Amino acid sequence: MAALIAPSILSADFANLERDLGRIASADYAHVDVMDNHFVPNLTLGLPIFERLAKVSPIPLDAHLMIENPDRWAPEFAEAGAASVTFHAEAAQAPVRLARELRKLGSRAGVALRPATPVEPYLDLLAEIDMILVMTVEPGFGGQSFIEGTLPKIRRARQAVSESGLDVWIQVDGGVSRDTIERAADAGANVFVAGSAVYGAEDIPSEIATLRELAAKHTH
Ligand code: DX5
Ligand code: ZN
């Protein structure tokens, strides 16, 4: 399985988002963190900005919705042109109905889990989704350190996906860097979000290439 790199523009310059999307053009996806100051104690950007980002981005957008009531809002991000829309399990009222709606709109559908949310309730629903996002920090802010205790959950998710024979991706987000990406890949992740590690690098394209190489060595 290929290792996919999705830099998070949370660490970009918000006054220069088009320029900073251009800087990650060699990545697989641009990860866009949408926060509503309710589901998480931080506020980023909403639909009008997302629509513009979708128009100017050189690579597909991966929306990570850290918002209340995703059942109401997530489909609008698919309509705005997101290649993938991930909503939080803790916030969704009807995750299967929502995932079906997203897929119908032509987007991939992802379910995100906070570090303390178990993956088991979702393992029977793998056929309904395209990706599980295992948060490796508490959502809300960039620059936090990777929670090693999430590795067993990644392993259990990968095991269940393998047994199902389905092509469900496993994404990790939070504290992913040269120091942690190999362990996450080894545990079974195949999509890697990195904010501060990518935008904090001197040479962004070479950092993306390094992360991809390190992950690919361990992706099964
Ligand atoms: C945090 C966001 C992440 C964040 C990761 O809630 O979901 O996408 O940008 O930032 P780093 O890679 O700096 O931990
Ligand atoms: Zn994110």
Side-chain angles (χ1 to χ4, degrees):
M1 193 180 293
L4 304 175
I5 305 295
S8 164
I9 62 165
L10 187 60
S11 294
D13 176 356
F14 270 38
N16 290 285
L17 288 173
E18 183 173 11
R19 181 199 70 190
D20 281 1
L21 281 169
R23 290 187 167 152
I24 57 164
S26 62
D28 300 285
Y29 287 91
H31 182 85
V32 182
D33 290 304
V34 177
M35 305 184 188
D36 66 353
N37 205 27
H38 291 275
F39 183 72
V40 288
N42 196 3
L43 183 67
T44 54
L45 53 89
L47 203 51
I49 295 178
F50 189 88
E51 281 169 350
R52 288 291 303 136
L53 296 177
K55 293 231 159 56
V56 303
S57 178
I59 52 174
L61 298 190
D62 169 37
H64 175 195
L65 306 183
M66 285 158 277
I67 61 172
E68 298 290 359
N69 203 3
D71 305 69
R72 159 73 179 86
W73 296 106
E76 302 211 23
F77 287 83
E79 277 165 4
S84 176
V85 177
T86 298
F87 56 86
H88 267 267
E90 306 84 359
Q93 298 286 325
V96 172
R97 184 169 62 214
L98 180 52
R100 287 182 177 176
E101 200 177 338
L102 292 170
R103 284 173 152 189
K104 212 161 101 193
L105 291 167
S107 165
R108 295 176 61 88
V111 177
L113 308 170
R114 302 181 86 124
T117 304
V119 70
E120 279 68 24
Y122 300 92
L123 298 181
D124 289 330
L125 307 174
L126 291 177
E128 303 284 350
I129 59 177
D130 299 293
M131 186 165 83
I132 298 173
L133 165 49
V134 177
M135 287 303 299
T136 44
V137 298
E138 282 294 351
F141 302 92
Q144 305 179 74
S145 60
F146 188 88
I147 301 172
E148 301 284 337
T150 57
L151 290 170
K153 179 158 63 175
I154 300 168
R155 258 180 238 290
R156 293 196 300 276
R158 174 53 67 195
Q159 172 91 26
V161 168
S162 302
E163 283 168 10
S164 74
L166 295 160
D167 185 21
V168 177
W169 294 353
I170 299 177
Q171 183 177 62
V172 284
D173 181 8
V176 174
S177 69
R178 291 175 184 219
D179 295 334
T180 55
I181 197 166
E182 293 173 280
R183 289 199 291 290
D186 186 60
N190 70 301
V191 190
F192 305 87
V193 177
S196 46
V198 168
Y199 279 104
E202 288 269 305
D203 180 342
I204 290 178
S206 117
E207 193 63 24
I208 290 169
T210 300
L211 291 173
R212 193 184 270 128
E213 264 166 47
L214 287 172
K217 271 199 248 161
H218 296 262
T219 309
H220 359 165

